[in-house]
């Protein structure tokens, strides 16, 4: 397989935390296969980036080493090869989906193809907020949203039906050290710019007088999360 990186055994071995869990019986791998075919191995896709691994007190090489040692104990004759799936910084989607697609898992490829075909049939009217691709389409045309304008709209969309106070928008979308951190009232300017780019659909961002803003489900708005999977920051 091209563009893969072999993970070598770490120079040092750290303690690995394990947990025993009850598991359901695994269906037979040969249940749906013709009699002339037989399994020769398996692939385990793990969605875990370096930051999440570090938060758990481990690393990707350490996890691979632990899995290899477990296999060596259970099946000494097993051959193993590990690869790392790479993705651009800031790319959306679940880690597991990124891994499956990067390593050419057939199901992931099929979903990507279906999503691409769906994009060719975009609605010609209304607003499409594409969370996974970080873009907004207005009447079928890509809107020139800045990064911060998209973040503002996304924050409201992912909290559909909830009124968001100005102070929450500021604290969630701007870091304290940012040079252009707006005040609670200045956020109104950003919302006005956002609405101006939404044009005749500006009302999808509602003002709740004295409190803040909200997004309610609207017939003219389509939300796309990518490959049938919600964005990881949706809640």
């Amino acid at each position: 397989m091209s563009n893969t990186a072999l993970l070598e055994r770490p120079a040092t071995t750290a303690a690995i935390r394990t947990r025993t869990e009850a598991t359901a019986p695994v269906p037979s791998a040969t249940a749906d296969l013709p009699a002339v075919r037989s399994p020769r191995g398996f692939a385990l896709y793990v969605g875990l980036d370096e930051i999440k691994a570090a938060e758990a007190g481990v690393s990707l090489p350490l996890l691979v080493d632990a899995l290899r040692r477990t296999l060596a104990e259970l099946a000494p004759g097993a051959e193993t090869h590990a690869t790392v799936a790479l993705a651009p910084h800031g790319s959306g989607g679940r880690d597991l989906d990124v891994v499956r697609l990067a390593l050419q898992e057939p199901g992931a490829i099929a979903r990507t193809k279906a999503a691409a075909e769906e994009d060719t049939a975009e609605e010609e009217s209304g607003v499409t907020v594409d969370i996974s691709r970080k873009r907004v389409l207005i009447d079928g045309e890509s809107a020139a949203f800045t990064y911060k304008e998209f973040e503002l709209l996304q924050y409201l969309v992912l909290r559909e039906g909830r009124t968001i106070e100005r102070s929450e928008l500021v604290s969630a979308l701007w870091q304290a050290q940012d040079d252009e951190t707006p005040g609670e009232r200045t956020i109104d300017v950003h919302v006005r710019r956002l609405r101006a780019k939404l044009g005749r659909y500006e009302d999808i961002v509602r003002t709740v007088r004295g409190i803040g803003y909200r997004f309610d489900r609207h017939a003219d708005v389509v939300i796309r999360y990518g490959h049938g999977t919600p964005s990881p920051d949706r809640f």
Side-chain angles (χ1 to χ4, degrees), residues 61 83 98 140 145 149 158 213 234:
T83 63
V98 171
F145 276 47
E149 288 165 350
L158 295 181
Y213 300 94
R234 184 187 184 196

Side-chain angles (χ1 to χ4, degrees), residues 118-119 121-143 145 150 153 157 198 201 204 215 217-226:
E118 182 178 306
D119 285 343
E122 294 279 3
E123 294 291 339
E124 290 301 321
S125 64
V127 178
T128 299
V129 182
D130 192 331
I131 301 297
S132 65
R133 297 187 181 184
K134 303 292 184 182
R135 65 173 184 171
V136 177
L137 300 179
I138 299 178
D139 293 335
E141 299 292 331
S142 182
F145 276 47
F150 182 86
L153 179 60
V157 165
L198 288 170
Y201 303 106
I204 67 173
F215 168 82
R217 178 62 65 179
H218 196 286
D220 290 328
V221 181
V222 174
I223 312 299
R224 298 195 187 283
Y225 298 104

Side-chain angles (χ1 to χ4, degrees), residues 134-193:
K134 303 292 184 182
R135 65 173 184 171
V136 177
L137 300 179
I138 299 178
D139 293 335
E141 299 292 331
S142 182
F145 276 47
T146 65
Y147 174 79
K148 193 61 69 177
E149 288 165 350
F150 182 86
E151 289 287 296
L152 176 56
L153 179 60
Q154 176 182 254
Y155 196 89
L156 295 170
V157 165
L158 295 181
R159 291 152 184 81
E160 175 186 326
R162 174 184 155 200
T163 298
I164 309 298
E165 295 183 5
R166 293 176 176 85
S167 58
E168 179 178 339
L169 289 172
V170 172
S171 61
L173 301 180
W174 280 269
Q175 301 298 320
Q177 64 270 24
D178 288 352
D179 294 333
E180 299 181 358
T181 302
E184 291 184 21
R185 290 299 173 184
T186 314
I187 198 71
D188 296 341
V189 176
H190 292 272
V191 173
R192 280 200 297 272
R193 291 173 180 167

Side-chain angles (χ1 to χ4, degrees), residues 15-31:
I16 298 175
R17 294 171 292 181
T18 61
R19 179 177 62 184
T20 302
E21 297 179 346
T23 58
V26 178
S28 171
T30 60

